[in-house]
Every structure is written in structure tokens, then in C-alpha cells.
Amino acid sequence: MTIDPGWPVAAALVLLMALTLAAHRLSGMGLGREALVAGLRACVQLGLAAVVITAVIGSLALSTLLALVMFAMAVLTTSRRVEASGAWPWAAAAMACGVVPVLAVVLATGAVPLEGVAVIPVAGIIIGNAMTAHTLVGRRTFAALREEHSQYEACLSLGMLPARGIGEIIHRRAPEALLPGLDQVRTTGIVTLPGAFIGVMLGGGSPAQAATAQVLVLFGIMAAQTVTVSVAERLVEARRLLPADLRRSLVD
């Protein structure tokens, strides 16, 4: 089974976007324009991605280079989303700590063949989910530090070091970034059939092959997200990974 570009797909996309925009308008959430722009960008970017992947998929070196570009864009996106663009090297470090070991494991064990056709999609999935976890932990912890600044000052007045004071505030918030991923793993096969499973099925693989691929991806996502969030939390405590306003306010 395949889904080919054509009028049926175009009609479906237009109707789905119309439904999205109508829901935004009726609910008053005010993100209709952002949804439209995101949808148009997705069409353009995926079209370009298809062209690029077709060109590089036969070369492992070029496929690796493409994965690095994907990682760079993920770092840029999450840094902007958490309003910490100036701290992008630390965001990159947190995500790399999650992504690199996972890819090393799946490639070194032979679970994923060392070929561009396999490396690109697996790397994209792991990088994308690490980015999501980093964005969630950043938004939750930064919001907590702004809302509970008086608690931070109280910790310092009791003789705590800044890292300890920050940790007192953010440690209970950081795990929240992992909950969506854990729920996805917990309900896979019951509530959802995620992308890797559907992709293998659409590509002609058997249900057993699809399930195997999906389990491998889910375990990789869990590992990458957990490490990314853990490292990001430590970097926030060390006042490395912070927006500019928090760098100024979280003084000794």
C-alpha cells in the first residue's frame, strides 16, 4: 500500500486545514494563523526533504551530514521556543547527550543497518523527540523559576548554593517533560499505532516487522528523552541553560 501525491491527498489536506482553522476560530485559542503557516511550511519542507533525501540516501557520509543538519535545526528550534537562543550550545549539549548514545546503540548492535535509508528516518525520529522533551523541560522549569523567584531567594538566605536553590524549584517540574513520551509508549498498540509501525506497514512489511521497528524506536525515544531532560536539568541548575532574564535574576 502507498499514498501517492494527487488530488485526493490535496483535497484531504485542504479539508483538514479548514477543520483546524475552524476549531481555532470557534475556541478562541488564537493560533489559526500559526497553524496555517506551520502547515504550509510542513508541505514545503517535506517536499524539499524528499528531494534532498533522494539525492543523499545512497551515501552514508551524505546521510550522516543530513542528520547533523537536522540536529542543528532542532537545536535552533528548541532554543527559540524556550526563549534561550543565547544558550543554544548548552541546548545542543543536552540533546546530544540523549541522541548520540541512542544512535550508537542501535547502529552498533546492528538493530538498524548502517545505511542511509535506515539512518535518516531513525535519526530524525530520535532527534525530533529529544527536541520535544528539551522544549517541554525548558518551558516548565523556566516558568517555575520566574513564578517562584521568592522561593529561590529564600533558599539562598538559608545558605544554600544557587544550584541547590534552583534544584529545589525545578526538580519536581522536570519529570513532566517525560510524561507525553511515557504515555505514548504505554498506550502504543492499544490507543495509537505510531509512525514507525505505520511506515513499515505502508512500505510492505509484515505486522511483526512493523511491531519490531516500533518497539525499537520507542525504547530509543525513551532513552533519548530521559537523558536529554536529565542533562538539561543539571545545566539549568548550573545556570548555563537559561534565558537572558533568568541569567540576570538568578544571582548568588
Side-chain angles (χ1 to χ4, degrees), residues 125 129 178-195 214 217-218 221 225:
I125 292 171
N129 281 274
L178 299 174
L179 294 180
L182 291 175
D183 286 344
Q184 180 185 16
V185 175
R186 186 180 295 114
T187 60
T188 293
I190 300 176
V191 177
T192 61
L193 293 176
Q214 187 61 63
V217 167
L218 289 174
I221 290 172
Q225 289 191 328

Side-chain angles (χ1 to χ4, degrees), residues 69-120:
V69 172
M70 294 162 63
F71 180 81
M73 291 303 300
V75 170
L76 177 63
T77 300
T78 189
S79 298
R80 288 178 174 175
R81 180 61 68 183
V82 300
E83 301 177 350
S85 297
W88 69 264
W90 301 108
M95 288 178 56
C97 286
V99 171
V100 173
V102 169
L103 294 181
V105 167
V106 299
L107 292 173
T109 59
V112 172
L114 196 59
E115 301 173 359
V117 69
V119 170
I120 291 174

Side-chain angles (χ1 to χ4, degrees), residues 145-146 149 152-153 244-252:
L145 289 170
R146 293 185 179 105
H149 186 72
Y152 172 74
E153 293 179 333
D245 65 308
L246 289 177
R247 284 202 304 272
R248 292 190 296 268
S249 64
L250 298 176
V251 295
D252 296 350

